[in-house]
Amino acid sequence: GGGGGGGGGGRVVTPTGLRAAVGARAPHFRDHSQQDAAEFFAVAVDALSDEMRDAARASAARSAAPDGAPLRPALTAAGGSGRAGAEEGESTLPVPQNFGGEVLKTMRCFKCGHEWRRCEPFSSLSLQLPAPAPGGRRAPPSLQSLLEEHLAPVSLEVTCERCGHAYAALTQHVSKLPRLLPLHLMRFDYSRERLLKRSDAAAVSTALDLSFAAHSETAPPPLASPKAVSRSHAAAAAAAAADGHRATTPATGGGAEHGRKRSLAITGPSPHGGGG
């Protein structure tokens, strides 16, 4: 449709090929029925990640010497040699570089006090909306408050590794910050007798502060090259001029100062009106 306006000279992109590619991986996206946008995004990103990884591995295999001895495959050049080097090289591909985050989960047994940890990667976070208020009157929750609630300490039903007790306290820290953090609002309410899609509003700000979930060893987002940062700034400015949104600094642009603050910038609607 229209809406570009302004005579900016932009071109229209038809996503038919993208939808067909995603539909080949997830058949329920092939037709024109309404589907979940967050699921479409997740499938598309996973497919892109798998294809780029497979292409990188194939390129590395082709660069092997005739006798089977590897020369210096592109995939392992950045990360050394062997399996560990290959895994490190794969971590530099675009999808993990931009969307690759990690959360450190610490469980502490309520009975014996034993602690154990595990790290879980994430490429997006699904945030739960608060329970509906009586009478339906409540100020819209902010994305910041929903994010803090998502990572807040909770009681968890899990078997202790030491004594076998069934409950532990769970605390979560973000151990690795991504460049880009997609947030998904869980709008389907399964607690009622019938499935209900909620239309609650949420307050969107232009920045999210993750310092509450960071610790001393939290890794900042991977830094982009100066040229890449300049291009991302220019692209953000062009998009802002085209659709009335305010451009904000990408998460990669903060350097060491960004690493200390451990905050992520996101784009949001202009306070003077415009899109959503």
Side-chain angles (χ1 to χ4, degrees):
R11 62 189 182 90
V12 176
V13 176
T14 303
T16 305
L18 173 62
R19 190 171 69 86
V22 173
R25 188 178 178 101
H28 57 285
F29 287 119
R30 289 177 180 171
D31 59 24
H32 295 280
S33 60
Q34 183 176 354
Q35 300 292 343
D36 185 73
E39 182 185 0
F40 183 90
F41 172 79
V43 172
V45 170
D46 286 346
L48 179 62
S49 179
D50 291 346
E51 290 185 12
M52 296 192 75
R53 184 193 62 237
D54 292 345
R57 289 178 177 176
S59 175
R62 287 194 299 269
S63 67
D67 60 359
L71 290 174
R72 183 175 169 83
L75 189 62
T76 63
S81 58
R83 182 183 180 87
E87 291 177 352
E88 185 175 347
E90 289 178 13
S91 70
T92 65
L93 294 174
V95 170
Q97 275 280 292
N98 287 288
F99 297 103
E102 189 176 81
V103 63
L104 175 64
K105 297 189 173 184
T106 302
M107 279 72 69
R108 186 176 187 275
C109 177
F110 282 122
K111 184 175 181 180
C112 71
H114 173 63
E115 286 190 357
W116 66 103
R117 299 179 176 182
R118 68 169 182 260
C119 288
E120 293 185 359
F122 66 85
S123 57
S124 64
L125 295 177
S126 296
L127 308 181
Q128 184 71 52
L129 289 168
R137 297 184 176 229
R138 170 185 283 162
S142 66
L143 285 183
Q144 180 72 39
S145 66
L146 295 179
L147 186 60
E148 292 177 4
E149 181 66 24
H150 178 77
L151 295 172
V154 294
S155 176
L156 186 68
E157 185 175 357
V158 60
T159 303
C160 175
E161 297 177 340
R162 176 178 293 174
C163 72
H165 188 65
Y167 292 92
L170 169 67
T171 56
Q172 303 181 85
H173 293 94
V174 177
S175 52
K176 178 185 176 184
L177 287 168
R179 286 179 180 168
L180 305 172
L181 176 57
L183 297 177
H184 164 227
L185 297 184
M186 301 173 64
R187 293 192 174 277
F188 286 100
D189 189 346
Y190 297 94
S191 62
R192 302 168 185 261
E193 294 182 357
R194 61 187 179 89
L195 183 65
L196 176 67
K197 185 174 182 179
R198 297 171 57 181
S199 58
D200 308 44
V204 179
S205 60
T206 55
L208 293 176
D209 183 5
L210 293 180
S211 60
F212 72 93
H215 55 68
S216 59
E217 297 181 359
T218 296
L223 293 178
S225 67
K227 289 184 179 180
V229 171
S230 298
R231 287 196 298 270
S232 65
H233 282 203
D243 64 12
H245 283 56
R246 188 188 335 165
T248 58
T249 304
T252 55
E257 181 64 20
H258 170 79
R260 287 194 292 271
K261 289 183 177 179
R262 298 183 177 88
S263 61
L264 286 177
I266 61 174
T267 55
S270 166
H272 304 295

